[in-house]
Amino acid sequence: MENFKFKTNINCQGCLKTVTPHLNELEDLESWDVDLENSDKILTVNLKSDFKEAVVQAVKKAGFDIERL
């Protein structure tokens, strides 16, 4: 399992509620969390494989910006 971090604009509980179904549908995503206290709103994901692009696409599909760190 690998851990990756992304900068996002997911900045509130409502945003989390919006993005949750998009991230939870990813099969290779073991777990994820967004640090809402961090100014860069860091999304940390634990992936079973090198599946970073799917995470990026899922967050963008939910309507948010995402950038690999």
Side-chain angles (χ1 to χ4, degrees), residues 1-52:
M1 185 175 348
E2 295 187 59
N3 188 332
F4 300 97
K5 294 184 182 289
F6 301 86
K7 177 180 176 181
T8 73
N9 64 344
I10 300 169
N11 59 19
C12 67
Q13 292 298 322
C15 297
L16 284 175
K17 187 175 180 178
T18 300
V19 77
T20 293
H22 296 277
L23 289 174
N24 286 350
E25 72 182 12
L26 299 176
E27 293 180 14
D28 285 349
L29 183 59
E30 184 72 24
S31 64
W32 63 272
D33 184 57
V34 178
D35 182 356
L36 296 178
E37 301 299 320
N38 186 302
S39 62
D40 287 335
K41 310 304 180 199
I42 302 298
L43 167 65
T44 302
V45 298
N46 292 310
L47 296 170
K48 295 177 185 172
S49 62
D50 188 9
F51 205 51
K52 297 182 292 281

